[in-house]
Amino acid sequence: CSRPLALRRGPGQVGYLPAPGLSRRQAARRARRARRPGALPPAYPNGWYRLLDSAQLPRGAVRSLALLGEQLAAFRTEDGQAYVVDAYCPHLGANLAAGGRVVGNCIECPFHGWQFRGEDGKCTRIPYAEKVPDFARVRTWQSCEVNGMLLVWYHCEGVGPTWAVPEQREIATEEWVFRGQTEHLVDAHIQEIPENAADTAHLAFLHGPAILGGSDLRYTRSKLWDFMKHIWKAEWRPEPEPNEHCSRLLVQHTATVFGKHLSLMDLTVSARQVGPGLVFLIFEHAFLGHGIILQTVTPLEPLLQNVVHKIYYQKNVPAIIPKFILRAECIQFERDITIWNNKQYLPKPLLVREDSSIQKHRRWYAQFYSEKSTRLPVQKEGLDW
């Protein structure tokens, strides 16, 4: 079947261990309540974040979005331009995305028909007023459409974009075609997810056991799948100027079956982290060709990340190959989710010499926070996030 793979995991579906006598959802809720998340970094780093796929916003459509502690409205004009504005009308606070409609290059408020221009938020029409006040406007957000996604720029101090989202040439030229996506919710701080790249020691331990062992951490090390091992060689480093907002992880993957090297599974992955919430994972395989997984991490709340993986692969490679790669990535990612959902963030972790790149990563990632970045209130006892 050549339809793209679509996997969506709902809240609490993965990443929590079952508890006797409780449903999956109850067990997840109990674990969330009991957790002490630790002294977290600021909730929302500055950078570009995926709002939705371009295809999810057809011409004339308005979409309501809650993320980064904000309520936004995205809309596309009839001439195809997408805009992002604050959802609440400055007049009396109606939600523009709850019944508002696109008129020309404006969004019209469903309450009194005020119309706001997408590009600068200026009010251009009030149906019952003679004159539109000069200062009547809704706040606009800088957005861009790249690689089939609509992204928004967030900066806690209102500073404009300091870097652009790179376009993946093979996606733009359609040499590589879309073969599927997975979507997960992770109950953790956003920084935990990219930090994984610098933590090379966890690769062998958490991701060494065969993917056949699944993602339930109680069973991944089961003797049943012991005959197969994944072997990872990885190296993380930040990129030099002018791309200091980027970092790279080079991974060589090999696998053994009954101790014998299985060359069919040899894979080179070059993962490029671009800003706080985008990763370009490029795959190179001797026989199975080239492709990319785009990973986007968007904070919906301080401790809730929406993570999407989309795979694009060479046209001439049978669709089953990229789908298999995406499923394998999904299993490995869900192992990480169980760690993230249940862990505490330690500002001063107890590290050994071999962990040095974790500290390097933290210093690198700190550039996405600024003086005014919102810090989380220190957690009170039993507060339910």
Side-chain angles (χ1 to χ4, degrees):
C1 162
S2 62
R3 280 228 321 276
L5 174 70
L7 279 179
R8 203 154 176 264
R9 306 281 195 228
Q13 266 191 315
V14 288
Y16 289 104
L17 297 181
L22 295 184
S23 73
R24 198 178 266 263
R25 179 164 279 176
Q26 290 167 328
R29 200 156 165 255
R30 180 199 274 183
R32 271 191 215 111
R33 294 185 69 151
R35 179 180 184 194
R36 298 286 168 265
L40 297 163
Y44 307 125
N46 303 321
W48 287 102
Y49 295 102
R50 172 189 174 274
L51 285 177
L52 39 77
D53 297 338
S54 296
Q56 292 175 302
L57 193 69
R59 287 164 196 252
V62 183
R63 291 285 304 265
S64 165
L65 301 155
L67 67 155
L68 298 157
E70 307 280 349
Q71 190 77 34
L72 306 178
F75 66 98
R76 193 185 295 283
T77 59
E78 289 305 337
D79 63 7
Q81 185 60 48
Y83 293 110
V84 182
V85 298
D86 268 0
Y88 299 119
C89 177
H91 173 218
L92 276 170
N95 188 328
L96 300 170
R101 63 186 185 122
V102 176
V103 179
N105 60 352
C106 298
I107 185 167
E108 181 185 78
C109 176
F111 199 7
H112 302 86
W114 289 36
Q115 292 177 4
F116 300 94
R117 204 158 51 196
E119 60 215 87
D120 55 7
K122 196 165 165 17
C123 180
T124 57
R125 179 171 186 261
I126 300 172
Y128 55 88
E130 257 174 60
K131 187 177 179 299
V132 175
D134 275 346
F135 54 82
R137 62 177 60 227
V138 67
R139 179 180 169 199
T140 57
W141 292 72
Q142 279 195 280
S143 61
C144 69
E145 285 192 84
V146 188
N147 304 323
M149 300 183 282
L150 174 64
L151 301 107
V152 71
W153 172 261
Y154 172 88
H155 194 290
C156 63
E157 294 173 35
V159 176
T162 49
W163 45 274
V165 179
E167 180 175 75
Q168 189 65 36
R169 187 187 57 80
E170 296 88 344
I171 294 177
T173 60
E174 296 183 8
E175 285 171 57
W176 293 355
V177 291
F178 176 68
R179 293 295 192 199
Q181 76 173 40
T182 61
E183 192 172 339
H184 291 86
L185 291 169
V186 179
D187 293 315
H189 187 278
I190 182 172
Q191 188 178 321
E192 300 277 18
I193 296 175
E195 191 169 288
N196 231 21
D199 175 11
T200 46
H202 94 286
L203 285 172
F205 194 80
L206 188 65
H207 302 300
I211 54 169
L212 302 166
S215 56
D216 185 326
L217 298 190
R218 296 166 305 165
Y219 309 119
T220 53
R221 311 189 74 77
S222 125
K223 290 278 173 280
L224 188 59
W225 308 114
D226 231 9
F227 63 88
M228 185 177 176
K229 292 268 186 293
H230 298 278
I231 299 149
W232 309 87
K233 275 170 91 167
E235 185 198 354
W236 179 86
R237 59 168 183 270
E239 287 187 26
E241 298 248 355
N243 294 327
E244 58 275 35
H245 61 281
C246 301
S247 65
R248 278 192 194 261
L249 173 70
L250 285 170
V251 184
Q252 296 282 340
H253 170 267
T254 52
T256 59
V257 172
F258 296 114
K260 285 212 175 5
H261 175 206
L262 192 68
S263 59
L264 193 66
M265 296 283 280
D266 288 358
L267 193 61
T268 307
V269 184
S270 153
R272 187 183 196 211
Q273 172 93 27
V274 182
L278 305 171
V279 183
F280 293 68
L281 291 130
I282 299 217
F283 289 83
E284 293 182 13
H285 190 286
F287 317 109
L288 304 179
H290 299 95
I292 189 169
I293 288 183
L294 296 179
Q295 181 198 59
T296 60
V297 183
T298 304
L300 304 182
E301 293 167 23
L303 284 182
L304 182 63
Q305 313 303 321
N306 175 245
V307 184
V308 174
H309 290 90
K310 298 162 155 309
I311 193 162
Y312 290 83
Y313 221 80
Q314 273 178 280
K315 261 206 206 72
N316 54 359
V317 173
I320 186 130
I321 303 293
K323 288 184 188 177
F324 170 77
I325 293 175
L326 187 61
R327 274 190 187 276
E329 155 75 41
C330 183
I331 290 171
Q332 295 290 17
F333 190 71
E334 288 176 0
R335 291 181 186 178
D336 288 310
I337 295 180
T338 306
I339 301 292
W340 293 324
N341 281 0
N342 295 284
K343 81 188 286 301
Q344 185 177 55
Y345 179 85
L346 300 177
K348 295 195 170 69
L350 195 166
L351 301 175
V352 293
R353 203 180 70 213
E354 290 77 1
D355 291 325
S356 66
S357 57
I358 294 177
Q359 277 306 39
K360 281 195 197 108
H361 189 278
R362 289 192 175 188
R363 281 196 295 274
W364 172 78
Y365 201 84
Q367 67 179 299
F368 304 120
Y369 303 119
S370 45
E371 286 301 303
K372 291 198 171 78
S373 290
T374 16
R375 288 210 166 260
L376 291 180
V378 174
Q379 196 193 16
K380 309 279 189 296
E381 288 299 301
L383 187 64
D384 196 352
W385 282 97

